[in-house]
């Protein structure tokens, strides 16, 4: 089951996620990583700039999609758990800070 704990080395909160959730996130990141490597090869091979820009846009969209999935999961688990534990103000403050950073 999912369990929140603190990392003993840095005091940041961590979250245990299901194996499927972890695998899905890692698969998405691997695809994005492959796209970035492809862009690097395009630059190395002097590919036409607009073609590279289109690929960069695709990577950006993939990262945004990853963020949306991760944020939704965070809301469904961590935020709900904090509210159930009576930590509404802390959960909302943290969520506001995260959203402000995402919307830069």
């Amino acid at each position: 089951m999912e369990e929140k704990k603190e990392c003993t080395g840095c005091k940041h909160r961590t979250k245990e996620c299901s194996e499927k959730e972890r695998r899905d996130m890692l698969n998405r990141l691997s695809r994005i990583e492959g796209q970035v490597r492809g862009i690097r090869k395009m630059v190395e091979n002097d590919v036409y700039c607009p073609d590279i820009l289109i690929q960069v846009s695709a990577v950006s969209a993939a990262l945004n999609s990853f963020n949306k999935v991760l944020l939704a999961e965070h809301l469904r688990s961590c935020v709900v758990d904090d509210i159930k534990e009576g930590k509404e103000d802390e959960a909302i403050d943290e969520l506001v800070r995260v959203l402000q950073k995402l919307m830069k």
Side-chain angles (χ1 to χ4, degrees):
M1 231 24 210
E2 294 176 7
E3 172 188 321
K4 281 187 266 183
K5 60 184 178 182
E6 262 189 30
C7 174
T8 55
C10 61
K11 300 295 183 207
H12 287 101
R13 291 171 61 179
T14 61
K15 176 186 180 265
E16 296 287 327
C17 57
S18 71
E19 188 58 36
K20 181 187 180 327
E21 182 183 8
R22 178 179 286 111
R23 187 175 57 246
D24 290 347
M25 287 192 306
L26 291 173
N27 285 340
R28 279 177 174 264
L29 290 171
S30 291
R31 284 193 300 274
I32 293 166
E33 184 179 16
Q35 288 177 292
V36 172
R37 280 194 306 270
I39 293 169
R40 180 185 180 97
K41 287 180 185 175
M42 292 173 80
V43 171
E44 290 171 349
N45 295 325
D46 296 323
V47 171
Y48 190 53
C49 297
D51 295 336
I52 297 171
L53 289 168
I54 290 168
Q55 291 306 309
V56 170
S57 178
V59 168
S60 181
L63 283 169
N64 284 335
S65 179
F66 178 84
N67 269 349
K68 289 175 191 174
V69 170
L70 187 57
L71 179 60
E73 180 56 33
H74 177 64
L75 290 170
R76 288 186 188 103
S77 59
C78 301
V79 173
V80 169
D81 291 346
D82 283 349
I83 290 170
K84 286 178 181 177
E85 293 172 10
K87 301 177 188 174
E88 300 90 359
D89 291 338
E90 294 94 338
I92 291 170
D93 290 345
E94 178 186 60
L95 184 57
V96 168
R97 283 191 305 274
V98 168
L99 290 174
Q100 286 172 338
K101 288 179 182 180
L102 289 175
M103 293 177 157
K104 282 186 176 181

XYZ file of all heavy atoms in Angstrom:
831
model
N 0.832 -1.184 0.000
C 0.000 0.000 0.000
C 0.875 1.246 0.000
O 2.055 1.199 0.284
C -0.819 -0.031 1.280
C -2.324 0.152 1.251
S -3.203 -0.235 -0.204
C -4.481 0.931 -0.001
N 0.290 2.377 -0.320
C 1.036 3.627 -0.343
C 1.263 4.112 1.080
O 0.395 4.050 1.921
C 0.257 4.679 -1.124
C 0.131 4.327 -2.592
C -0.729 5.313 -3.331
O -1.119 6.334 -2.749
O -1.017 5.065 -4.502
N 2.458 4.632 1.317
C 2.789 5.114 2.652
C 3.725 6.302 2.513
O 4.661 6.279 1.733
C 3.473 3.979 3.413
C 4.039 4.369 4.730
C 4.869 3.245 5.316
O 4.467 2.080 5.170
O 5.908 3.549 5.903
N 3.426 7.355 3.259
C 4.308 8.510 3.246
C 5.318 8.360 4.364
O 4.999 7.886 5.432
C 3.506 9.797 3.436
C 2.822 10.235 2.174
C 2.198 11.554 2.369
C 0.763 11.340 2.770
N 0.004 12.524 2.941
N 6.536 8.757 4.085
C 7.581 8.716 5.091
C 8.534 9.841 4.816
O 8.422 10.534 3.819
C 8.282 7.361 5.074
C 8.936 7.027 3.746
C 9.529 5.663 3.749
C 10.116 5.362 2.375
N 10.658 4.044 2.273
N 9.461 10.054 5.702
C 10.471 11.080 5.500
C 11.791 10.438 5.160
O 12.174 9.427 5.746
C 10.629 11.932 6.776
C 9.873 13.203 6.707
C 10.186 14.138 7.858
O 11.311 14.113 8.393
O 9.284 14.892 8.215
N 12.471 11.017 4.208
C 13.819 10.591 3.863
C 14.734 10.999 5.017
O 14.783 12.169 5.375
C 14.237 11.259 2.557
S 15.938 10.962 2.102
N 15.440 10.053 5.605
C 16.253 10.361 6.781
C 17.427 11.256 6.448
O 17.878 12.026 7.276
C 16.768 9.067 7.440
O 17.469 8.309 6.449
C 15.642 8.261 8.014
N 17.925 11.191 5.213
C 19.088 11.992 4.850
C 18.774 13.456 4.633
O 19.555 14.323 4.990
N 17.603 13.762 4.059
C 17.346 15.154 3.681
C 16.073 15.718 4.294
O 15.774 16.887 4.116
C 17.263 15.264 2.167
S 15.931 14.281 1.449
N 15.314 14.939 4.996
C 14.075 15.368 5.650
C 12.961 15.748 4.674
O 12.015 16.409 5.045
C 14.318 16.519 6.636
C 15.286 16.173 7.741
C 14.736 15.105 8.629
C 15.680 14.826 9.778
N 15.593 13.515 10.308
N 13.081 15.374 3.405
C 12.001 15.580 2.461
C 11.031 14.413 2.563
O 11.416 13.287 2.859
C 12.525 15.660 1.021
C 13.236 16.934 0.742
N 14.596 17.028 0.727
C 12.769 18.170 0.470
C 14.951 18.263 0.449
N 13.862 18.979 0.295
N 9.772 14.701 2.318
C 8.786 13.630 2.330
C 8.982 12.742 1.110
O 9.408 13.191 0.067
C 7.378 14.220 2.305
C 7.033 14.918 3.597
C 5.758 15.679 3.508
N 4.632 14.806 3.204
C 3.389 15.234 3.094
N 3.113 16.497 3.239
N 2.413 14.397 2.826
N 8.702 11.492 1.262
C 8.725 10.557 0.144
C 7.371 9.876 0.084
O 6.567 9.980 1.008
C 9.836 9.496 0.298
O 9.581 8.747 1.489
C 11.205 10.138 0.368
N 7.129 9.176 -1.018
C 5.851 8.497 -1.183
C 6.110 7.121 -1.783
O 6.796 7.004 -2.792
C 4.940 9.294 -2.116
C 3.637 8.588 -2.407
C 2.848 9.356 -3.451
C 1.561 8.659 -3.745
N 1.626 7.777 -4.886
N 5.578 6.134 -1.143
C 5.620 4.789 -1.699
C 4.499 4.698 -2.726
O 3.359 5.026 -2.440
C 5.383 3.743 -0.604
C 6.443 3.706 0.466
C 7.739 3.097 -0.004
O 7.705 2.193 -0.853
O 8.786 3.553 0.466
N 4.841 4.277 -3.950
C 3.798 4.135 -4.959
C 3.753 2.681 -5.414
O 4.674 1.906 -5.159
C 4.027 5.082 -6.121
S 5.616 4.922 -6.935
N 2.664 2.353 -6.074
C 2.506 0.980 -6.530
C 3.540 0.682 -7.613
O 4.071 1.591 -8.263
C 1.097 0.761 -7.085
O 0.952 1.432 -8.317
N 3.804 -0.580 -7.816
C 4.770 -0.989 -8.839
C 4.298 -0.553 -10.221
O 5.091 -0.075 -11.034
C 4.980 -2.506 -8.792
C 6.098 -2.983 -9.680
C 7.446 -2.345 -9.358
O 7.741 -2.102 -8.183
O 8.204 -2.088 -10.311
N 3.004 -0.659 -10.494
C 2.458 -0.240 -11.789
C 2.622 1.264 -11.984
O 3.038 1.721 -13.053
C 0.982 -0.613 -11.914
C 0.390 -0.220 -13.257
C -1.103 -0.438 -13.301
C -1.736 -0.064 -14.620
N -1.188 1.029 -15.361
N 2.310 2.036 -10.948
C 2.449 3.486 -11.034
C 3.903 3.865 -11.306
O 4.196 4.683 -12.180
C 1.960 4.117 -9.726
C 2.001 5.614 -9.701
C 1.567 6.191 -8.357
O 1.377 5.430 -7.381
O 1.448 7.426 -8.289
N 4.820 3.258 -10.578
C 6.244 3.538 -10.764
C 6.691 3.144 -12.174
O 7.381 3.901 -12.856
C 7.077 2.787 -9.724
C 8.587 2.998 -9.899
C 9.422 2.281 -8.863
N 9.311 2.975 -7.584
C 8.691 2.487 -6.509
N 8.154 1.291 -6.557
N 8.627 3.173 -5.400
N 6.294 1.967 -12.622
C 6.668 1.474 -13.947
C 6.126 2.401 -15.049
O 6.844 2.754 -15.982
C 6.155 0.048 -14.145
C 6.632 -0.621 -15.411
C 6.200 -2.080 -15.502
N 4.755 -2.223 -15.416
C 4.093 -2.816 -14.414
N 4.759 -3.337 -13.401
N 2.788 -2.901 -14.412
N 4.866 2.829 -14.915
C 4.272 3.734 -15.906
C 5.020 5.064 -15.970
O 5.301 5.581 -17.049
C 2.792 3.986 -15.597
C 1.917 2.773 -15.844
O 2.391 1.798 -16.480
O 0.751 2.798 -15.406
N 5.364 5.620 -14.798
C 6.098 6.888 -14.783
C 7.484 6.718 -15.396
O 7.935 7.559 -16.182
C 6.199 7.440 -13.358
C 4.888 7.987 -12.838
S 5.034 8.955 -11.314
C 5.877 7.870 -10.212
N 8.167 5.638 -15.032
C 9.506 5.405 -15.577
C 9.475 5.169 -17.081
O 10.373 5.621 -17.808
C 10.179 4.239 -14.854
C 10.566 4.522 -13.398
C 11.073 3.252 -12.716
C 11.590 5.635 -13.313
N 8.431 4.483 -17.574
C 8.296 4.279 -19.019
C 8.107 5.610 -19.745
O 8.716 5.847 -20.793
C 7.129 3.345 -19.333
C 7.451 1.902 -19.035
O 8.609 1.510 -18.937
N 6.419 1.085 -18.880
N 7.272 6.478 -19.193
C 7.080 7.806 -19.789
C 8.396 8.570 -19.831
O 8.748 9.182 -20.834
C 6.073 8.628 -18.972
C 4.641 8.336 -19.253
C 3.758 9.177 -18.299
N 2.368 9.028 -18.615
C 1.681 9.876 -19.383
N 2.268 10.933 -19.872
N 0.413 9.666 -19.630
N 9.125 8.538 -18.714
C 10.401 9.253 -18.654
C 11.427 8.661 -19.616
O 12.214 9.403 -20.221
C 10.937 9.256 -17.222
C 10.149 10.123 -16.242
C 10.633 9.883 -14.817
C 10.248 11.596 -16.612
N 11.409 7.357 -19.790
C 12.335 6.727 -20.745
C 12.036 7.176 -22.167
O 12.961 7.425 -22.955
C 12.242 5.203 -20.651
O 12.769 4.766 -19.429
N 10.748 7.293 -22.508
C 10.393 7.780 -23.843
C 10.859 9.218 -24.037
O 11.403 9.579 -25.094
C 8.877 7.670 -24.068
C 8.415 6.237 -24.347
C 7.001 6.193 -24.881
N 6.014 6.761 -23.976
C 5.404 6.117 -22.995
N 5.677 4.851 -22.772
N 4.516 6.721 -22.231
N 10.663 10.035 -23.009
C 11.098 11.431 -23.083
C 12.618 11.495 -23.220
O 13.153 12.267 -24.024
C 10.603 12.223 -21.858
C 9.074 12.335 -21.884
C 11.253 13.598 -21.799
C 8.448 12.803 -20.574
N 13.309 10.679 -22.449
C 14.767 10.630 -22.530
C 15.218 10.255 -23.938
O 16.159 10.840 -24.488
C 15.294 9.619 -21.506
C 16.781 9.528 -21.401
C 17.232 8.523 -20.363
O 16.427 7.672 -19.932
O 18.411 8.583 -19.977
N 14.531 9.302 -24.544
C 14.851 8.912 -25.916
C 14.620 10.052 -26.898
O 15.415 10.254 -27.830
N 13.546 10.805 -26.674
C 13.285 11.963 -27.535
C 14.409 12.996 -27.411
O 14.846 13.563 -28.415
C 11.955 12.612 -27.161
C 10.729 11.812 -27.563
C 9.454 12.497 -27.093
O 9.196 12.564 -25.893
N 8.687 13.008 -28.035
N 14.868 13.235 -26.197
C 15.944 14.212 -25.982
C 17.230 13.732 -26.656
O 17.947 14.518 -27.294
C 16.149 14.488 -24.474
C 17.392 15.336 -24.240
C 14.915 15.163 -23.887
N 17.527 12.443 -26.542
C 18.716 11.904 -27.231
C 18.585 12.088 -28.742
O 19.558 12.389 -29.438
C 18.927 10.435 -26.879
C 19.591 10.222 -25.531
C 20.097 8.791 -25.362
N 19.070 7.804 -25.599
C 18.254 7.301 -24.655
N 18.369 7.700 -23.401
N 17.341 6.411 -24.961
N 17.360 11.904 -29.243
C 17.117 12.118 -30.676
C 17.374 13.555 -31.083
O 17.949 13.817 -32.156
N 16.980 14.492 -30.240
C 17.233 15.908 -30.521
C 18.730 16.182 -30.536
O 19.241 16.898 -31.397
C 16.511 16.809 -29.499
C 14.994 16.699 -29.684
C 16.972 18.255 -29.633
C 14.189 17.344 -28.564
N 19.440 15.586 -29.598
C 20.905 15.765 -29.561
C 21.530 15.288 -30.874
O 22.390 15.966 -31.453
C 21.487 15.001 -28.377
C 22.986 15.135 -28.277
C 23.563 14.261 -27.165
N 24.977 14.415 -27.111
C 25.613 15.233 -26.275
N 24.942 15.931 -25.397
N 26.931 15.323 -26.302
N 21.082 14.130 -31.367
C 21.616 13.610 -32.635
C 21.267 14.537 -33.788
O 22.065 14.727 -34.713
C 21.077 12.209 -32.900
C 21.692 11.158 -32.010
C 21.136 9.784 -32.297
C 21.683 8.797 -31.295
N 21.092 7.466 -31.462
N 20.066 15.114 -33.734
C 19.669 16.054 -34.779
C 20.625 17.247 -34.800
O 21.051 17.690 -35.870
C 18.228 16.522 -34.564
C 17.184 15.442 -34.772
S 15.526 15.991 -34.316
C 15.087 16.928 -35.791
N 20.964 17.760 -33.627
C 21.887 18.895 -33.536
C 23.271 18.479 -34.044
O 23.919 19.209 -34.823
C 21.955 19.446 -32.095
C 23.067 20.477 -31.956
C 20.611 20.037 -31.685
N 23.729 17.305 -33.619
C 25.038 16.812 -34.059
C 25.099 16.648 -35.585
O 26.140 16.842 -36.198
C 25.354 15.478 -33.384
C 25.625 15.592 -31.908
C 25.716 14.245 -31.195
O 25.366 13.197 -31.789
O 26.121 14.259 -30.017
N 23.961 16.311 -36.187
C 23.904 16.075 -37.632
C 23.461 17.304 -38.424
O 23.121 17.181 -39.605
C 22.987 14.893 -37.934
C 23.522 13.594 -37.389
O 24.732 13.373 -37.364
N 22.636 12.722 -36.943
N 23.440 18.458 -37.755
C 23.086 19.719 -38.427
C 21.728 19.670 -39.121
O 21.558 20.195 -40.223
C 24.175 20.127 -39.438
C 25.504 20.418 -38.764
O 25.491 20.981 -37.646
O 26.558 20.068 -39.346
N 20.767 19.070 -38.479
C 19.409 19.025 -39.020
C 18.836 20.440 -39.042
O 19.175 21.282 -38.200
C 18.532 18.063 -38.180
C 17.069 18.136 -38.570
C 19.059 16.641 -38.313
N 17.973 20.691 -39.974
C 17.351 22.002 -40.158
C 16.636 22.439 -38.880
O 15.888 21.678 -38.268
C 16.374 21.899 -41.330
C 15.808 23.200 -41.835
C 16.640 24.262 -42.193
C 14.443 23.361 -41.966
C 16.115 25.440 -42.675
C 13.902 24.541 -42.452
C 14.744 25.580 -42.806
O 14.221 26.750 -43.285
N 16.891 23.694 -38.477
C 16.419 24.223 -37.186
C 14.925 24.016 -36.922
O 14.552 23.578 -35.829
C 16.760 25.706 -37.059
S 18.532 26.039 -37.068
N 14.035 24.317 -37.864
C 12.610 24.117 -37.584
C 12.263 22.664 -37.242
O 11.373 22.405 -36.422
C 11.916 24.573 -38.871
C 12.850 25.586 -39.448
C 14.231 25.040 -39.134
N 12.961 21.729 -37.850
C 12.711 20.321 -37.531
C 13.092 20.008 -36.084
O 12.402 19.262 -35.392
C 13.486 19.408 -38.489
C 13.011 19.532 -39.930
O 11.841 19.946 -40.139
O 13.806 19.230 -40.838
N 14.195 20.596 -35.631
C 14.618 20.417 -34.236
C 13.608 21.081 -33.304
O 13.213 20.501 -32.282
C 16.036 20.984 -34.014
C 17.062 20.215 -34.859
C 16.411 20.921 -32.526
C 18.453 20.843 -34.881
N 13.183 22.280 -33.645
C 12.210 22.993 -32.814
C 10.924 22.197 -32.634
O 10.343 22.172 -31.541
C 11.909 24.372 -33.419
C 13.046 25.388 -33.318
C 12.756 26.582 -34.201
C 13.251 25.809 -31.871
N 10.489 21.537 -33.676
C 9.271 20.722 -33.587
C 9.482 19.577 -32.607
O 8.603 19.262 -31.799
C 8.852 20.220 -34.983
C 8.342 21.405 -35.802
C 7.799 19.115 -34.880
C 8.160 21.116 -37.272
N 10.656 18.960 -32.643
C 10.940 17.866 -31.712
C 11.059 18.369 -30.274
O 10.616 17.705 -29.336
C 12.206 17.122 -32.129
C 12.038 16.321 -33.406
C 10.853 15.376 -33.326
O 10.719 14.600 -32.379
N 9.973 15.457 -34.310
N 11.645 19.540 -30.095
C 11.728 20.136 -28.758
C 10.326 20.402 -28.229
O 10.026 20.156 -27.054
C 12.577 21.426 -28.774
C 12.470 22.170 -27.452
C 14.031 21.086 -29.077
N 9.442 20.876 -29.084
C 8.050 21.113 -28.690
C 7.378 19.811 -28.266
O 6.605 19.786 -27.299
C 7.295 21.753 -29.850
O 5.948 21.948 -29.512
N 7.665 18.731 -28.962
C 7.097 17.427 -28.606
C 7.585 16.974 -27.227
O 6.811 16.426 -26.433
C 7.453 16.389 -29.670
N 8.863 17.200 -26.932
C 9.410 16.846 -25.615
C 8.748 17.686 -24.531
O 8.369 17.174 -23.468
C 10.947 17.013 -25.583
C 11.480 16.926 -24.159
C 11.606 15.976 -26.464
N 8.591 18.957 -24.815
C 7.934 19.848 -23.854
C 6.504 19.383 -23.565
O 6.077 19.340 -22.409
C 7.940 21.272 -24.401
O 7.348 22.147 -23.490
N 5.779 18.998 -24.608
C 4.411 18.499 -24.428
C 4.407 17.201 -23.630
O 3.533 16.990 -22.776
C 3.742 18.294 -25.790
N 5.376 16.342 -23.878
C 5.462 15.072 -23.137
C 5.742 15.324 -21.665
O 5.171 14.666 -20.787
C 6.535 14.169 -23.754
N 6.611 16.273 -21.356
C 6.892 16.619 -19.959
C 5.658 17.231 -19.289
O 5.366 16.927 -18.133
C 8.084 17.575 -19.867
C 9.454 16.935 -20.043
C 10.521 18.004 -20.205
C 9.776 16.019 -18.867
N 4.954 18.074 -20.011
C 3.717 18.638 -19.457
C 2.695 17.552 -19.163
O 2.013 17.581 -18.136
C 3.126 19.683 -20.411
C 3.875 20.990 -20.358
O 4.514 21.323 -19.364
N 3.823 21.737 -21.447
N 2.594 16.592 -20.053
C 1.676 15.475 -19.841
C 2.091 14.662 -18.614
O 1.247 14.258 -17.802
C 1.652 14.589 -21.085
O 0.800 13.496 -20.896
N 3.379 14.422 -18.466
C 3.895 13.717 -17.299
C 3.526 14.472 -16.018
O 3.063 13.883 -15.044
C 5.418 13.563 -17.409
C 6.050 12.881 -16.232
C 6.092 11.503 -16.164
C 6.592 13.613 -15.189
C 6.670 10.859 -15.071
C 7.171 12.988 -14.095
C 7.207 11.607 -14.038
N 3.715 15.797 -16.037
C 3.362 16.613 -14.877
C 1.884 16.503 -14.531
O 1.519 16.428 -13.360
C 3.714 18.088 -15.130
C 5.109 18.436 -14.678
O 5.776 17.670 -14.004
N 5.559 19.608 -15.075
N 1.027 16.500 -15.530
C -0.415 16.407 -15.287
C -0.772 15.085 -14.609
O -1.558 15.058 -13.657
C -1.192 16.545 -16.590
C -1.166 17.939 -17.162
C -1.857 17.969 -18.514
C -1.606 19.275 -19.224
N -2.145 19.282 -20.592
N -0.195 14.005 -15.095
C -0.452 12.689 -14.505
C 0.058 12.643 -13.068
O -0.634 12.180 -12.154
C 0.193 11.569 -15.354
C 0.150 10.227 -14.633
C -0.504 11.473 -16.710
N 1.273 13.142 -12.852
C 1.866 13.130 -11.516
C 1.077 14.021 -10.555
O 0.828 13.638 -9.404
C 3.327 13.570 -11.589
C 4.143 13.465 -10.314
C 4.139 12.043 -9.769
C 5.564 13.930 -10.582
N 0.653 15.189 -11.016
C -0.138 16.084 -10.175
C -1.477 15.459 -9.809
O -1.901 15.527 -8.650
C -0.343 17.431 -10.879
C -1.170 18.460 -10.117
C -0.526 18.806 -8.777
C -1.351 19.709 -10.974
N -2.126 14.820 -10.759
C -3.408 14.165 -10.479
C -3.230 13.071 -9.429
O -4.044 12.951 -8.499
C -4.001 13.587 -11.764
N -2.179 12.295 -9.552
C -1.914 11.234 -8.574
C -1.611 11.833 -7.202
O -2.050 11.313 -6.179
C -0.763 10.342 -9.043
C -0.430 9.213 -8.095
C -1.605 8.308 -7.770
O -2.474 8.103 -8.644
O -1.666 7.808 -6.626
N -0.881 12.915 -7.178
C -0.568 13.587 -5.918
C -1.853 14.067 -5.240
O -2.035 13.890 -4.031
C 0.377 14.760 -6.171
C 0.701 15.549 -4.948
N 1.388 15.024 -3.877
C 0.419 16.836 -4.628
C 1.521 15.957 -2.941
N 0.938 17.068 -3.369
N -2.744 14.646 -6.023
C -4.018 15.122 -5.465
C -4.843 13.968 -4.908
O -5.424 14.066 -3.822
C -4.825 15.867 -6.535
C -4.267 17.218 -6.952
C -5.005 17.735 -8.182
C -4.359 18.213 -5.816
N -4.892 12.878 -5.670
C -5.710 11.724 -5.261
C -5.152 10.996 -4.038
O -5.888 10.327 -3.327
C -5.817 10.733 -6.412
C -6.691 11.195 -7.522
C -6.870 10.086 -8.560
N -7.558 10.599 -9.721
C -6.963 10.898 -10.871
N -5.661 10.708 -11.023
N -7.663 11.376 -11.875
N -3.864 11.104 -3.821
C -3.276 10.336 -2.716
C -2.763 11.247 -1.608
O -3.381 11.360 -0.554
C -2.172 9.418 -3.245
O -1.152 10.161 -3.879
N -1.672 11.916 -1.837
C -1.013 12.698 -0.783
C -1.899 13.799 -0.215
O -2.017 13.939 1.007
C 0.283 13.306 -1.309
S 1.471 12.097 -1.915
N -2.509 14.588 -1.097
C -3.331 15.700 -0.621
C -4.550 15.180 0.136
O -4.874 15.662 1.225
C -3.746 16.628 -1.790
C -4.733 17.684 -1.327
C -2.515 17.287 -2.401
N -5.209 14.175 -0.408
C -6.376 13.593 0.274
C -5.971 13.022 1.630
O -6.661 13.236 2.627
C -7.047 12.516 -0.614
C -8.066 11.715 0.165
C -7.690 13.166 -1.844
N -4.853 12.319 1.671
C -4.385 11.750 2.943
C -4.104 12.844 3.971
O -4.476 12.716 5.140
C -3.126 10.908 2.737
C -3.383 9.620 1.978
O -4.578 9.234 1.840
O -2.409 9.004 1.511
N -3.444 13.924 3.541
C -3.157 15.024 4.467
C -4.444 15.649 4.992
O -4.544 15.971 6.181
C -2.296 16.094 3.791
C -0.832 15.696 3.690
O -0.445 14.684 4.325
O -0.081 16.396 2.992
N -5.421 15.817 4.134
C -6.698 16.388 4.570
C -7.372 15.469 5.570
O -7.884 15.920 6.601
C -7.598 16.692 3.355
C -7.007 17.877 2.581
C -9.029 16.978 3.794
C -7.653 18.144 1.241
N -7.355 14.175 5.306
C -7.943 13.209 6.237
C -7.238 13.227 7.587
O -7.846 12.951 8.610
C -7.890 11.797 5.651
C -8.886 11.562 4.537
C -8.747 10.156 3.981
C -9.710 9.911 2.850
N -9.539 8.572 2.245
N -5.945 13.561 7.583
C -5.166 13.619 8.816
C -5.288 14.973 9.511
O -4.606 15.232 10.494
C -3.693 13.317 8.526
C -3.437 11.892 8.080
C -2.002 11.668 7.623
O -1.145 12.555 7.829
O -1.735 10.601 7.045
N -6.125 15.856 8.971
C -6.322 17.168 9.580
C -5.283 18.200 9.224
O -5.142 19.209 9.900
N -4.532 17.960 8.155
C -3.472 18.881 7.743
C -3.906 19.684 6.513
O -3.141 19.861 5.564
C -2.205 18.104 7.422
C -1.656 17.284 8.562
C -0.444 16.497 8.095
C 0.018 15.512 9.143
N 1.092 14.652 8.623
N -5.147 20.192 6.539
C -5.691 20.883 5.371
C -4.846 22.086 4.962
O -4.519 22.257 3.781
C -7.129 21.378 5.625
C -8.113 20.302 5.943
C -8.226 19.998 7.440
O -7.509 20.622 8.255
O -9.019 19.116 7.787
N -4.510 22.938 5.936
C -3.773 24.161 5.623
C -2.413 23.860 5.013
O -2.017 24.479 4.018
C -3.610 25.029 6.868
C -4.921 25.631 7.348
O -5.863 25.737 6.523
O -5.003 25.994 8.529
N -1.701 22.897 5.585
C -0.389 22.545 5.064
C -0.494 21.980 3.650
O 0.298 22.323 2.764
C 0.322 21.512 5.964
C 0.672 22.048 7.334
C -0.403 21.748 8.379
O -1.573 21.510 8.005
O -0.073 21.775 9.570
N -1.501 21.125 3.428
C -1.686 20.514 2.110
C -2.006 21.571 1.062
O -1.454 21.551 -0.048
C -2.794 19.462 2.167
N -2.875 22.501 1.410
C -3.257 23.553 0.463
C -2.081 24.484 0.203
O -1.809 24.845 -0.948
C -4.495 24.323 0.968
C -5.706 23.395 0.917
C -4.737 25.586 0.149
C -6.935 23.923 1.608
N -1.361 24.874 1.243
C -0.193 25.745 1.061
C 0.847 25.094 0.148
O 1.404 25.740 -0.749
C 0.443 26.095 2.409
C -0.415 27.028 3.248
O -1.371 27.637 2.699
O -0.146 27.138 4.461
N 1.111 23.816 0.376
C 2.077 23.104 -0.455
C 1.597 23.032 -1.898
O 2.366 23.267 -2.838
C 2.299 21.684 0.084
C 3.261 20.879 -0.759
C 3.358 19.440 -0.306
O 2.329 18.725 -0.317
O 4.481 19.037 0.061
N 0.326 22.742 -2.082
C -0.236 22.651 -3.424
C -0.158 23.993 -4.147
O 0.203 24.058 -5.328
C -1.680 22.154 -3.359
C -2.374 21.906 -4.684
C -1.600 20.910 -5.534
C -3.799 21.420 -4.444
N -0.450 25.074 -3.454
C -0.352 26.412 -4.049
C 1.084 26.683 -4.480
O 1.334 27.179 -5.587
C -0.876 27.488 -3.074
C -0.506 28.884 -3.547
C -2.388 27.358 -2.897
N 2.060 26.357 -3.627
C 3.472 26.577 -3.975
C 3.861 25.778 -5.224
O 4.543 26.285 -6.123
C 4.385 26.206 -2.809
C 4.429 27.224 -1.694
C 5.549 26.941 -0.697
N 5.513 25.606 -0.119
C 4.800 25.257 0.957
N 4.053 26.160 1.579
N 4.833 24.027 1.422
N 3.422 24.533 -5.282
C 3.748 23.689 -6.430
C 3.113 24.259 -7.703
O 3.775 24.367 -8.753
C 3.295 22.228 -6.193
C 3.358 21.423 -7.474
C 4.131 21.588 -5.110
N 1.858 24.636 -7.627
C 1.168 25.173 -8.807
C 1.813 26.473 -9.271
O 1.924 26.715 -10.480
C -0.319 25.371 -8.518
C -1.130 24.086 -8.361
C -2.546 24.403 -7.925
C -1.119 23.276 -9.647
N 2.239 27.311 -8.321
C 2.917 28.551 -8.706
C 4.203 28.251 -9.471
O 4.513 28.930 -10.462
C 3.224 29.399 -7.471
C 1.991 30.060 -6.889
C 2.256 30.735 -5.558
O 3.206 30.414 -4.844
N 1.394 31.681 -5.187
N 4.939 27.248 -9.052
C 6.175 26.885 -9.757
C 5.882 26.294 -11.126
O 6.596 26.546 -12.093
C 6.990 25.894 -8.918
C 7.616 26.554 -7.705
C 8.402 25.558 -6.885
C 8.978 26.252 -5.660
N 9.759 25.345 -4.823
N 4.798 25.498 -11.210
C 4.452 24.877 -12.494
C 3.952 25.900 -13.500
O 4.079 25.700 -14.708
C 3.368 23.809 -12.292
C 3.800 22.531 -11.593
C 2.609 21.626 -11.361
C 4.854 21.815 -12.417
N 3.388 26.998 -13.015
C 2.779 27.977 -13.919
C 3.724 29.107 -14.312
O 3.290 30.082 -14.906
C 1.521 28.553 -13.257
C 0.438 27.553 -13.097
S -0.940 28.301 -12.254
C -2.260 27.234 -12.773
N 4.990 29.001 -13.993
C 5.959 30.043 -14.379
C 6.093 30.114 -15.879
O 5.971 29.212 -16.598
C 7.319 29.769 -13.745
C 7.374 30.154 -12.309
C 8.784 29.994 -11.811
C 8.895 30.467 -10.391
N 10.231 30.350 -9.864
